[in-house]
Amino acid sequence: MSYVTSLFARKMVAAAGDGPDAVALLASVGIDAEAPWDPKAMIHAEAYYTMLERLAGEVDATNLPVRVGASMRCDEYGALGLAWKAAPDLRGSLLRVERYARLWTSVVRYELRPDPRGMLYVIHRPGERRLGMRLSNETTLVATVALARQVSPAPVAPLEVKVQHAAPDAITSHEDWFGCPVRWGSDVDAILFPPEALSQPNILGDEGISRYLLSHLDAELGGLREDISLVAEARAAIAQTLSEGAPKMARIATQLGLSVRSFHRRLAEHGVSFQSLTEETRRDLAEGLLRDDAHSLAEIAFLTGFSEQSAFTRAFKRWMGVTPANYRKGLQMR
């Protein structure tokens, strides 16, 4: 399952202002707008990109990545954010994200790469360069510099920022924020940091706290690998039973050899609920089936666990912002 922390979605919607329907946007990715913010609660990455595209259809999103990225705070990232602050220097902070980023996303890999002028902090995010992904990538680049400036005793200015996709309509806010040239249409998404910025001791660097936090993060990472396997198995079990109607948590738990209580607890530890997992599985299965013209909409509704095609249409429009019929037409036009 490709996931990102729900923190990103909440920040994006909050920064968009009062115009868009925040409750509906968050609901489209399985987030209860009234629930407490929890960075450990994960959402499906593709649904997040779709939400960003819906948001961009309602507001001017050109500068949204700059506003959201600049608003990110270390403390919002839980133990990893604290480990970022407690690292001895910015290089150490970046290395910690390189190692532990799986705790907040499965779709991005970070790499600290030597460069003749300093170090490149590379963001690897595979997949189609759709608008949602482009907005997310820009936000990640801005947020990295924002977090760097929060821990460094001296101003942090990259030498250069590289972005793979083409420039948006306006780029002044991006260049003003980074304080350096932004190279659009590059071969990589990355930030080039000068050596002196990387070696400056962090304001709150602490070796003792670092040891404690890294031990905690290692344990979280180990548990995450186990739970990702559990989530994948649960999704497969849910998909197999959907044609019989909405799956029951007790039945899926039994198939996995777990009690309902243990199954619920382990999903919760990964920031996933059985309801959200079922929704994601239904959505992914529906998207895949809609790509195959051999299946009618009524058949897809049945295969994804809906008793009526109208209920499937309402659910799909909530997930994707369009009806299944229009989604299929859009695929045929590409």
Side-chain angles (χ1 to χ4, degrees), residues 53-277:
E53 289 158 4
R54 289 178 61 184
L55 190 59
E58 299 181 37
V59 301
D60 182 358
T62 305
N63 298 331
L64 188 62
V66 176
R67 299 202 307 272
V68 173
S71 75
M72 292 294 185
R73 296 293 177 266
C74 298
D75 293 345
E76 294 172 326
Y77 290 87
L80 182 51
L82 295 177
W84 171 282
K85 292 199 295 186
D89 50 32
L90 181 56
R91 177 188 175 90
S93 297
L94 295 169
L95 286 170
R96 290 177 185 189
V97 173
E98 183 182 54
R99 174 170 173 77
Y100 298 110
R102 284 296 300 275
L103 296 174
W104 77 55
T105 177
S106 70
V107 296
V108 183
R109 181 174 63 85
Y110 298 86
E111 176 194 2
L112 200 55
R113 180 189 300 173
D115 182 273
R117 293 181 289 165
M119 295 290 285
L120 270 177
Y121 187 62
V122 185
I123 299 170
H124 299 280
R125 189 192 303 254
E128 177 190 354
R129 296 276 153 177
R130 53 189 289 192
L131 174 60
M133 180 187 283
R134 297 199 302 270
L135 292 171
S136 184
N137 273 1
E138 290 177 33
T139 305
T140 299
L141 291 165
V142 173
T144 298
V145 175
L147 298 178
R149 289 171 178 168
Q150 290 166 39
V151 299
S152 178
V156 174
L159 296 174
E160 184 178 83
V161 173
K162 297 173 179 285
V163 187
Q164 285 195 54
H165 58 264
D169 292 338
I171 61 173
T172 302
S173 61
H174 295 76
E175 293 182 340
D176 288 348
W177 167 257
F178 289 119
C180 69
V182 179
R183 311 297 186 191
W184 303 92
S186 296
D187 60 345
V188 69
D189 295 301
I191 302 167
L192 178 58
F193 286 105
E196 58 272 19
L198 296 170
S199 60
Q200 282 276 0
N202 282 347
I203 298 170
L204 296 177
D206 188 295
E207 184 178 347
I209 294 177
S210 284
R211 283 197 299 270
Y212 168 77
L213 289 170
L214 294 183
S215 174
H216 175 77
L217 290 170
D218 282 332
E220 274 198 61
L221 198 60
L224 178 63
R225 294 192 183 100
E226 177 182 345
D227 283 340
I228 287 175
S229 176
L230 170 71
V231 169
E233 291 176 6
R235 282 171 61 89
I238 290 169
Q240 290 172 4
T241 61
L242 279 174
S243 61
E244 301 171 23
K248 302 295 184 183
M249 187 174 185
R251 177 178 177 181
I252 301 300
T254 299
Q255 287 182 233
L256 298 177
L258 298 169
S259 68
V260 173
R261 178 176 294 182
S262 178
F263 183 41
H264 174 79
R265 175 181 56 79
R266 290 181 62 182
L267 289 179
E269 287 173 352
H270 188 51
V272 177
S273 69
F274 182 72
Q275 180 181 1
S276 67
L277 195 61

